[in-house]
Amino acid sequence: MKGIVLAGGSGTRLYPATLAVSKQLLPVADKPMIYYPLSVLMLAGIRQILIISTPHDLPHYKRLLGDGSQFGLQLDYAEQPEPKGIAEAFIIGAGHVGDDSVALILGDNVFHGHAFSQVLTENARSVDGCVLFGYPVRDPQRFGVAELDVNGELVSIEEKPANPRSDLAVTGLYFYANDVVDIAKNLLPSERCELEITDVNRAFLDMGRAKLVELGRGHAWLDTGTPGALLQAGQYVHTMEERQGVRIACLEEVALRMGFVDADACYQLGQKCATSSYGQYIMSIATAYGANPARASRASS
């Protein structure tokens, strides 16, 4: 499975904070926002990832993440000059997807939960259609809303309905079979002149090839698209990290735990930001996994 992070848009709801910087480069607690969706794809076992953003912002992502090899990833980059809809990501990324299945995640979504990696890997293993992830919310009118029957089968998807049939919002994480590329290419623009992801999901639903995984108790899904939501996400991450003593979306740690890098390589990554508590945390985790600080230091010099 390949991965795509859609990190475009102008972030107008966060103005003036995003007048000069991409929304997905703003900090959520102690990490850039894009670390969170990247960590989700990594936890699903995905190592080949395409980052889509504006021509203006792509150089900043390249400076931050490079080619991804330090995390055991292969990162590529592509431009979305104008925000023409989430589904356009599959057209832009068609070459990246190739003949594989694909996971798409929005760059401003934060996920966290117990055994979340297991949930991801189980659903990424064999995708025959689309797998959506639903989360109960108090204001479903603001989201795409999924309706399940008594057997838990997905029966309808509505975009921002005035009278929602459930409280299950469709989150910004999607797994698709390879034919999503052809479906996206044949979409007609909506009234907003965008290629809508809900239309993609309905196409799979009409074929009987869509399912929804509920992320309920024990999981958190946070949208960071407004100043208030961004603040709440940062407070949530900070609180959880302080209470549990573990970092959320620490790419270096995720790479180590997933076996993408070894302990010495992880330790070296921590050394690069050793004056911060973040770097010190990485070095401590790497040491617990068997890193030899002296050997790692010699290798990095």
Side-chain angles (χ1 to χ4, degrees):
M1 175 175 275
K2 302 287 181 59
I4 297 176
V5 179
L6 185 57
S10 53
T12 55
R13 291 185 297 166
L14 286 165
Y15 276 6
T18 51
L19 281 170
V21 65
S22 172
K23 171 176 65 176
Q24 292 85 0
L25 291 172
L26 295 176
V28 176
D30 59 347
K31 295 169 290 291
M33 188 187 297
I34 197 170
Y35 272 39
Y36 296 86
L38 277 174
S39 72
V40 171
L41 297 183
M42 293 170 68
L43 287 170
I46 299 170
R47 302 179 71 168
Q48 294 177 269
I49 299 171
L50 178 69
I51 296 174
I52 299 176
S53 190
T54 66
H56 171 76
D57 293 315
L58 275 180
H60 303 300
Y61 288 106
K62 292 178 181 178
R63 180 183 178 188
L64 174 68
L65 300 165
D67 63 4
S69 58
Q70 70 273 31
F71 305 120
L73 305 176
Q74 177 185 320
L75 296 181
D76 294 301
Y77 300 87
E79 296 181 358
Q80 187 185 40
E82 299 177 13
K84 294 183 178 179
I86 295 172
E88 190 187 26
F90 301 112
I91 300 173
I92 295 171
H96 168 76
V97 175
D99 297 326
D100 293 317
S101 56
V102 59
L104 171 67
I105 187 166
L106 304 186
D108 61 358
N109 277 216
V110 174
F111 292 87
H112 179 242
H114 175 68
F116 190 41
S117 180
Q118 182 179 346
V119 173
L120 296 170
T121 53
E122 287 178 354
N123 285 283
R125 194 168 294 127
S126 57
V127 180
D128 180 23
C130 81
V131 179
L132 308 176
F133 295 85
Y135 190 82
V137 295
R138 290 181 296 178
D139 50 355
Q141 298 89 345
R142 295 179 50 236
F143 304 95
V145 176
E147 178 190 9
L148 307 179
D149 64 17
V150 293
N151 298 313
E153 300 292 326
L154 182 63
V155 293
S156 75
I157 306 169
E158 295 181 284
E159 184 64 26
K160 298 179 181 177
N163 299 295
R165 298 178 183 179
S166 83
D167 65 350
L168 275 179
V170 178
T171 70
L173 173 64
Y174 320 86
F175 291 173
Y176 294 104
N178 184 259
D179 52 338
V180 69
V181 174
D182 289 331
I183 290 173
K185 288 180 178 178
N186 287 290
L187 287 181
L188 295 176
S190 66
E191 293 179 356
R192 300 190 301 168
C193 298
E194 294 188 1
L195 301 180
E196 304 287 354
I197 198 68
T198 297
D199 291 339
V200 171
N201 297 334
R202 283 177 179 153
F204 280 107
L205 181 61
D206 291 343
M207 292 186 284
R209 297 171 57 206
K211 77 170 187 177
L212 182 131
V213 176
E214 292 188 65
L215 301 176
R217 186 180 299 273
H219 292 88
W221 169 57
L222 305 166
D223 181 7
T224 56
T226 67
L230 180 61
L231 177 62
Q232 290 171 4
Q235 290 173 332
Y236 171 86
V237 171
H238 177 74
T239 300
M240 295 300 292
E241 290 183 344
E242 286 292 309
R243 288 182 178 177
Q244 299 181 351
V246 297
R247 301 271 171 163
I248 298 172
C250 174
L251 299 187
E252 295 84 355
E253 181 182 5
V254 175
L256 177 61
R257 294 187 183 278
M258 295 299 294
F260 297 172
V261 300
D262 63 26
D264 282 354
C266 184
Y267 189 91
Q268 292 167 23
L269 293 174
Q271 284 182 309
K272 293 180 179 180
C273 44
T275 57
S276 70
S277 60
Y278 183 82
Q280 293 162 13
Y281 172 81
I282 295 168
M283 289 188 289
S284 68
I285 290 294
T287 301
Y289 266 71
N292 183 312
R295 183 178 61 227
S297 297
R298 287 196 302 270
S300 63
S301 61

